[in-house]
Amino acid sequence: MSDLFPALRSTPDRTALHFPARSLTYGQLTAVAGVVARRIGAASRVALWATPTPHTAVGAVAALLAGVPVVPLNPKTGERELAHIVGDSAPTAVLAGPDDRLPAALDVLERITVDLGEGADAEGTAPSPRGGVPVDPTAPAMVVYTSGTTGPPKGAVLSRRAITASLDALEDAWAWTADDVLVHGLPLFHVHGLILGILGPLRRGAQVRHLGRFSVDGVARELSDGGTMLFGVPTMYHRLAEALADDPALVKALAGARLLVSGSAALPLHDHTRITAATGRTVVERYGMTETLMNTSVRVDAPQPRPGSVGVPLPGVELRLVDEDGAPVAAYDGETIGEIQVRGDNLFSGYLNRPDATAEAFDGDWFRTGDMAVRDPDGSVRLVGRRATDLIKSGGYKIGAGEIENALLDHPGVREAAVTGEPDPDLGERVVAWIVPTELADPSARPSADALAAHVAGLLSPHKRPREVRFLTALPRNDMGKVMKRALRE
Ligand code: MCA
Ligand code: AMP
């Protein structure tokens, strides 16, 4: 029935999805997703209004059953970014829950309602994709939008094979089984929350318990009540680490988990150390990217490398470091830095409608990640930085400085704008906007920091809003007129 989710047929009585408002067994999921898959029919591409609800999980499974590529949308996306994503990916329909209010920009699309009441009591009968014709594994399964240094986000096209290759490699690295119960509160419009955090357990025939939204209490509750694994971004582990000292129930819950996994950004050593000291557990880091899915991970069946390592290349992933001249680095000395390049079935198939950007991202068949790393003698990889300083990772979200600068320049009170990332104990990095106001002479005529944050949140996404605004009379520029961001930071 499904090359991606064998458990839809084999274990109908087991719990598949657990959200605060609703749980579904595999049998119910099969039936509900089957109804939606039939409605999707032979659409060319569908959007998914990706709220943190079971409707999103069902919608994603339905599109995959139908063999139709799905584009997850962040429901908080602002006007300009949403118009770009919808215009670029050109879906014919949008999957949404019955109570979702969709923005006017989606009015042109057919609405396919994901109704959890429909078919849920029936025997699971999911359709064979495309009337029984098997879907080509290299066919696109998802288009996930991701920011670059400049310009609007690009749609990374992910094939069914990339998804299965990455999820099966993680099964191997983490000894992930049908008996695992994954707890998380990640958003469901990115690779981490949706592909790893929802499709991952469903491919294993395992259970996912989504918190609806992340909270320290929610993690403690679900891990004490049968949860075996936790996925989170470093900001979430930071908040857990902060709470440990006063929360013995949280200590017990984390100590009892089989696997605590962090990814999307680097987990600071201080948080690693605090969590291990309080719980005796080591947080396992894995390293991935929207374009590559997962590349490396610390393995559960090997000696634990030192904290800060993202582990070894996953099965099926070839990884090399290259120096500034593009020559492969042979050293495993923990010192020689190179850019990570990867190849394997886990890679995306290209950026939608952007052959130029796709070509630029590859060195032959090697994908250039832009991440700089060293390799230790035991083969494990340590990330030491990024090639592009104009990419900011805040709360685990990748944010391009250029798109925020463009949005800020559209505010009438802004004459010049530059955006940088600064270290932040909670978010890893926070977005800082450097603004030359239109009204230089009159400080009372400047736009407020809140107004600029609301402007960016409304056009792009709330997580891209500047958390701090600093006003200047001029931006430092070099002879070419380029803003010298290093001088700003200093
Ligand atoms: C605040 N809010 C606003 C504004 N100010 N909304 C509009 N305009 C404003 N001016 C709202 C927000 O929308 C949000 O609403 C609430 O206030 C709090 O927002 P915020 O401060 O941004 O939240 P936070 O507490 O800082 O969030 C921390 C977080 C979050 C929960 C850790 O950053 C997060 O979920 N990160 C996960 C990122 C992720 O999944 N990345 C994976 C991509 P409300 O309260 O309603 O929400 S990376 C990936 O996929 C690769 C493959 C990988 O390796 O994993
Ligand atoms: P995204 O494009 O949003 O999927 O983010 C991918 C980027 O997140 C990678 O290129 C890395 O820079 C970063 N990243 C992901 N996992 C880790 C990790 N475990 N440690 C450090 N950085 C990470």
Side-chain angles (χ1 to χ4, degrees):
M1 175 207 301
S2 167
D3 51 337
L4 282 168
F5 309 114
L8 287 183
R9 184 161 49 191
S10 59
T11 55
D13 298 327
R14 286 175 72 105
T15 301
L17 302 169
H18 176 91
F19 282 75
R22 183 69 202 265
S23 296
L24 276 90
T25 63
Y26 275 92
Q28 290 169 325
L29 172 62
T30 305
V32 180
V35 171
V36 179
R38 276 188 282 274
R39 277 194 204 136
I40 293 172
S44 54
R45 207 176 278 143
V46 292
L48 174 62
W49 193 244
T51 53
T53 66
H55 304 86
T56 299
V58 170
V61 170
L64 291 164
L65 287 175
V68 171
V70 59
V71 188
L73 301 177
N74 171 0
K76 291 202 183 114
T77 307
E79 292 165 40
R80 180 176 298 174
E81 189 164 308
L82 188 63
H84 163 70
I85 292 174
V86 172
D88 187 53
S89 60
T92 54
V94 55
L95 311 178
D99 301 328
D100 289 332
R101 288 183 52 189
L102 303 184
L106 301 183
D107 284 353
V108 291
L109 306 181
E110 179 198 353
R111 180 175 178 144
I112 297 177
T113 299
V114 177
D115 187 338
L116 302 182
E118 283 183 321
D121 300 325
E123 266 301 293
T125 51
S128 303
R130 302 231 175 228
V133 180
V135 182
D136 175 359
T138 62
M142 279 200 189
V143 183
V144 180
Y145 278 79
T146 181
S147 290
T149 50
T150 55
K154 302 185 288 278
V157 179
L158 301 169
S159 68
R160 298 168 82 86
R161 186 174 66 189
I163 292 174
T164 53
S166 213
L167 293 179
D168 294 351
L170 294 177
E171 172 191 30
D172 181 72
W174 297 339
W176 195 348
T177 73
D179 291 329
D180 276 306
V181 176
L182 171 65
V183 175
H184 75 91
L186 291 156
L188 299 186
F189 43 83
H190 275 311
V191 165
H192 195 167
L194 184 59
I195 298 187
L196 270 58
I198 298 288
L199 304 186
L202 296 181
R203 181 155 173 84
R204 300 277 76 83
Q207 183 188 146
V208 53
R209 290 206 199 151
H210 195 275
L211 303 172
R213 66 182 298 157
F214 171 82
S215 72
V216 169
D217 290 350
V219 168
R221 186 185 64 240
E222 296 302 337
L223 284 181
S224 314
D225 187 29
T228 67
M229 299 165 84
L230 176 68
F231 286 180
V233 295
T235 301
M236 296 171 180
Y237 282 100
H238 174 77
R239 292 178 187 180
L240 292 168
E242 292 277 288
L244 281 169
D246 303 316
D247 192 343
L250 176 66
V251 173
K252 195 161 169 238
L254 291 180
R258 185 178 80 76
L259 195 62
L260 307 174
V261 186
S262 173
S264 302
L267 182 65
L269 201 56
H270 180 54
D271 291 325
H272 263 294
T273 313
R274 287 195 292 177
I275 292 172
T276 302
T279 68
R281 307 311 307 268
T282 313
V283 179
V284 160
E285 285 200 74
R286 95 296 180 281
Y287 155 63
M289 216 174 154
T290 305
E291 291 89 334
T292 65
L293 303 181
M294 294 305 113
N295 294 314
T296 70
S297 181
V298 171
R299 298 184 58 91
V300 297
D301 59 0
Q304 296 299 297
R306 58 175 154 145
S309 164
V310 293
V312 292
L314 287 162
V317 179
E318 286 182 81
L319 182 148
R320 68 178 188 183
L321 300 185
V322 296
D323 67 18
E324 290 204 344
D325 302 324
V329 172
Y332 284 81
D333 58 2
E335 277 177 19
T336 314
I337 297 176
E339 180 186 355
I340 297 179
Q341 297 191 343
V342 287
R343 64 180 180 191
D345 285 348
N346 55 310
L347 256 57
F348 74 142
S349 323
Y351 296 113
L352 190 67
N353 305 324
R354 294 292 307 274
D356 54 330
T358 306
E360 218 173 281
F362 281 88
D363 175 359
D365 57 353
W366 292 93
F367 175 75
R368 310 171 201 262
T369 63
D371 290 307
M372 308 300 290
V374 298
R375 278 178 307 199
D376 285 329
D378 64 359
S380 63
V381 175
R382 270 185 300 126
L383 299 181
V384 296
R386 267 188 311 265
R387 187 175 275 284
T389 48
D390 271 350
L391 281 179
I392 300 163
K393 265 271 163 169
S394 187
Y397 287 114
K398 189 193 258 185
I399 302 172
E403 46 172 341
I404 308 179
E405 287 160 2
N406 289 336
L408 287 167
L409 286 170
D410 281 348
H411 191 284
V414 174
R415 179 183 294 178
E416 293 182 71
V419 165
T420 58
E422 287 191 7
D424 184 279
D426 181 47
L427 296 170
E429 289 183 287
R430 66 175 170 276
V431 174
V432 176
W434 305 79
I435 301 292
V436 178
T438 317
E439 294 293 337
L440 270 179
D442 177 8
S444 69
R446 286 176 186 170
S448 69
D450 284 350
L452 292 177
H455 173 76
V456 172
L459 282 181
L460 304 179
S461 281
H463 64 261
K464 296 183 180 174
R465 72 191 189 274
R467 308 280 175 141
E468 210 174 307
V469 176
R470 297 193 193 133
F471 291 98
L472 302 169
T473 52
L475 294 179
R477 291 182 187 271
N478 64 15
D479 294 344
M480 310 286 289
K482 195 171 168 335
V483 177
M484 295 188 297
K485 294 203 173 169
R486 189 165 293 168
L488 280 174
R489 289 193 196 96
E490 283 161 7

